[in-house]
Amino acid sequence: MVLAQVFSSNDVEALIAAGNIIIIYEDRVLRVDSWLPKHPGSDKVVLHMVGRDATDEINSYHSEEAKTLARKYQIGVIKGLWENMIPPIQGGVYRTAEEIAAATEDEGISMGSISSGSNSSDDETPIATRLRTTAKLRDPEKQSRKQIPIVCAPAARDLPKSEELLAEYEQQLLAEDLEKYPSLDYATQRLISEKYRQLEAKLFQEGYFQCTYWGYARECVRYFTFGGLAYLFLRLKWYLTSAFFLGFMWHQLVFTVHDAGHYAITHDFFIDNFIGAFIASYIGGLSVGWWKHNHNVHHFVTNDPIHDPDIQHLPFFAVSTKLFGDVFSTYYEKTLWFDAAAKFFVRFQNYTYYLILCFGRFNLYRLSWQYLLLGQGPMKGKAAWCRYFEIVGQFVFWYWYGYKLLYQTLPTAGVRIAYVFVSNMVTMPLHVQITLSHFAMSTTDLGASESFAQKMLRTTMDVDCPTWLDFFHGGLQFQAIHHLFPRMPRHNFRSAQSAVIEFCKDIDVQYCIYGFTEGNKEVIGRLGDIAKQASIMRDCSMHISQELAVTGKIEM
């Protein structure tokens, strides 16, 4: 039996500084450089786990087959208890082996004062896209490895330089979270992780991860009913009624696409991908590949204004004042400018929220085509086929919907335009559903020590509704449960709720659940609060500008 090489935190830090993609899984040190371009769930998901113990994340999102594959990338084991580092994509700075050796030899330097993977607050580099390319390293067999581009966030700034007036507001939010949630020391957070793993094992043994196919049989009856009604009213020339039922069918189908994207239907990689891609592209004109690329990152860095694309909606919405400072999005790899348009729209976002969400599906078309044409998904590995399958699906969709239905069947340009708007805007409740579970929740960063389970519960709310209305929400009303167990089929969420509530009581973390009306009030309240901060910042900036123009100086 060959003993595995033991790595200390300094060893791992040096490997990451040299350009390796290192994550910790079940006390194993994994080097996943070669897997990065093949990862079906987005390379950025992996990059957000560099230097971290990703055990809970990997186990909750992956099949046994995928977890077995992950273990094949093991290069050693860790030494002692692991303390998470901040990934390079989030601004973490790492020392090379030479720098670590020099620091160790220097008796005047306290190793305890040097934080591996910490943010550098003194970096004045302008916010811009920065790419770091890994060095060409050699493995023990002296075989060269391909250089892998890594998106690196600029050094993090807690607040934009010109908005110090918002510091008190952000500090208040941070203080509320620190008081509300358990201690962030590693002992407490490890205990939460252990209890979470016990709960997951219990639910698995009790069959909660087995798909209830009868639930999908009922779903299919609904899909065919709405599709049939859309066709019936189209033949009767009740065009807008037809558009309504077509849009409602799309609204319902998206929930199954969501399930397939998480492999929660059959748990088979190919079958679930095929189901998701067929429904999304051939019937709905969207890309499940784009959705997975976006959505998986959202699950790993939930509600982080800098990293989570699901809350990056400038110029129309901002759910954190951190977005007031031209922040660099590590997902989009560009700066999100808080420009004149953003300053205008954000001030009224609590009033325009529902109106803008009516156009959400049009934006999804754009994002889907951008993803497919630019090849933003995996180009290698077993997921590469999906891109080409979906491109074909896009042409099929626009043939039947754009040419056969809109152009050939509908009589006038006015009717065509109305049909497009009605059929697409009927899906608006879906966009409300998606934003409802996160917009009103915490957006603070509690650091690298926070456990996966606590972060999911802190940043996500559930929505209460009668059982008979579950179909309308598509299971996404149990968003907190879904974030804890993303591979659990949605038809089992309601029955698993009681166990999650008991888990929350056990770890002393609030389980946030509101009625649909109350949840909407919470979201509108948060949007209004941020809008107020935007107005305050605008008024303050105008006052400073006027004072500077008149006196040539600013009174402090």
Side-chain angles (χ1 to χ4, degrees), residues 294-309:
N294 175 287
H295 189 69
N296 289 337
V297 173
H298 157 70
H299 267 268
F300 277 59
V301 287
T302 309
N303 264 28
D304 189 307
I306 314 300
H307 310 296
D308 182 0

Side-chain angles (χ1 to χ4, degrees), residues 21-82:
I21 312 299
I22 304 293
I23 61 176
I24 309 302
Y25 173 55
E26 294 179 338
D27 295 334
R28 296 174 169 89
V29 178
L30 308 183
R31 184 172 63 193
V32 295
D33 304 49
S34 61
W35 176 241
L36 197 65
K38 303 176 186 177
H39 187 243
S42 165
D43 57 343
K44 288 185 174 61
V45 170
V46 180
L47 295 178
H48 279 293
M49 291 294 105
V50 172
R52 296 175 58 92
D53 184 343
T55 301
D56 288 338
E57 288 84 349
I58 291 175
N59 284 339
S60 64
Y61 282 87
H62 295 83
S63 65
E64 288 302 321
E65 178 186 2
K67 287 183 277 189
T68 299
L69 176 64
R71 296 182 185 104
K72 293 181 179 179
Y73 290 89
Q74 178 178 346
I75 60 172
V77 296
I78 60 172
K79 179 181 179 181
L81 295 176
W82 184 257

Side-chain angles (χ1 to χ4, degrees), residues 203 208 478 481 488 490-500:
L203 293 175
Y208 284 92
F478 296 110
I481 299 173
M488 181 184 289
R490 61 182 159 105
H491 299 101
N492 296 336
F493 287 162
R494 182 173 287 277
S495 56
Q497 185 182 39
S498 58
V500 172

